[in-house]
Amino acid sequence: MSIAKKITLLFAILSAIIISLLSGFVWYFSNEFAFEDFYKRLEARVNITAEIRLSENKTNDVYAKVRNQYLERLPDEREFVIDKTELDKNTIDSDLPKSFFNTINFGKVARHRKENQFYAGKSFISNNKTYIIIVSAKDPVGFRELKDLQKTLIAGFFLSVALSFIVGWKFSNYMLNPLRSIIKSVKKIKAENLHLRLDVKQGTDEMSQLAQTFNNMLNRLETAFETQNNFISNASHELRTPLTIISGEVELAMRAETDSKKQQKALVKIKDEAERLEHILTSLLGLAQSGFNGKNQPWEQVRVDELIWEVQQTVNQVHPESKIEIDFSQLPEDENLITLKANKNLLKLALTNIVSNACKYSNNKTVFITLLSKLNVISIAVKDQGIGIPQGDVQHVFEPFYRASNTSEFKGYGVGLPLSLNIIRLHRGSIGVSSQEQIGTEIKVLLPLK
């Protein structure tokens, strides 16, 4: 069942419930008060009957004559005057309930209705005797009006439900038109035209928010597709280059069967390119592994200051000539402010890549590492005094296999920073780069404690 039909059905059901409650309310109070005036007329006749029938005053004969002459006689009007002691011997109406007489015995005016037959009764004392006066009559006008009201309410109920169904159908279609437009536009978007976007109307309603959210998702999806395509293209190029060199050197070595020097030179070249190919494959594997969700990997509490000491030792082992100065002067006394839950091996790999690059591209000049903790965020700043990054290249340094235009003299593959970025993002952190050519580069890593 479509959403429009569900909304229409729900709207009709709710309308039917509300209308039925309203109709019941009107019927109940109409039924209660429709005959109030008629009951009062009966009670007046009860009092008049008691005055005429129970009094010995001769003027009451005149009063009765006037009453019969000028007071309207109700349809099927009957009067009953009963001595209370002889009540059981008199049959008034077998359908009068005991509660009717009990009310009279309490000295109150009793009322009762059976379909269109109305009764009013009251007890009176005359000559030391108690009498019960009951007047009965029919009210065809009021009863007919109540029947007409009942028919009107029933007809109005079905008419209102039918009308609410039509209005609900129109309303649901009107409200769902923007959603249908979104669905129609989304069906047109495929992998080859991810640049298309939904038309976002001005406003803050849910449909506008839905369209804007979908556009934001398309932006991220398009970026991911472009990144993937670039990654595959760059990876293919980087892998093809050492393989081509290895194939060429093998052919040269095969041709120089008698020249051992040429063979040795070719073998050295083959070895170098094989190591390069192994490093590229290892880096590609690291990039792939750093994209996992982290749920199945070991996470532990890591003190960042201790981790930085380990990073320094690792870099010094790979680059013994490197110079690294660590500044812990602004650390808080509370060690919890420099301890976070992390994948230690991956986080160490990310920081090692950053510090190693700083040492390499600064020709082993002093690299400064500063650790801060403020506002539940740990800041790790790595600053070098190296060649810097050209302004036009800064925005590309985190793209896989991209190398700045001034790094041709340095050996590298352009995967260290992208790998570090993936790992930092896995820890809900961020990386910022500030660089000036021939002055140096500062990379700042921000990691949230929680």
Side-chain angles (χ1 to χ4, degrees), residues 11 78 127 137 207 242 266 292 391 404 413:
F11 188 80
R78 292 181 294 169
N127 296 325
M207 292 301 177
F292 67 91
Q391 195 64 32
Y413 306 99

Side-chain angles (χ1 to χ4, degrees), residues 71-184:
L71 187 61
E72 176 190 5
R73 192 160 189 88
L74 299 175
D76 198 19
E77 182 178 343
R78 292 181 294 169
E79 298 175 353
F80 304 92
V81 180
I82 307 168
D83 189 338
K84 187 176 180 181
T85 59
E86 300 178 355
L87 180 61
D88 295 337
K89 300 179 182 179
N90 292 275
T91 302
I92 301 171
D93 195 319
S94 59
D95 291 330
L96 280 176
K98 291 183 179 181
S99 59
F100 180 83
F101 295 100
N102 291 335
T103 303
I104 294 176
N105 291 333
F106 282 118
K108 298 180 180 179
V109 178
R111 293 177 175 181
H112 179 68
R113 179 171 72 89
K114 180 186 177 184
E115 294 183 354
N116 196 26
Q117 190 71 38
F118 295 81
Y119 298 87
K122 187 179 180 182
S123 64
F124 295 88
I125 300 176
S126 178
N127 296 325
N128 296 322
K129 288 186 178 182
T130 301
Y131 296 91
I132 295 177
I133 307 294
I134 299 175
V135 177
S136 173
K138 291 183 177 180
D139 182 17
V141 177
F143 195 74
R144 184 172 60 251
E145 289 178 351
L146 197 61
K147 286 290 185 181
D148 292 340
L149 177 62
Q150 184 181 21
K151 293 178 181 178
T152 302
L153 290 176
I154 294 174
F157 171 79
F158 288 106
L159 181 62
S160 299
V161 170
L163 184 62
S164 65
F165 188 86
I166 296 173
V167 173
W169 179 255
K170 296 292 184 181
F171 174 77
S172 61
N173 282 327
Y174 172 76
M175 293 302 297
L176 292 176
N177 274 336
L179 183 59
R180 292 191 181 97
S181 299
I182 291 176
I183 294 174
K184 186 177 180 180

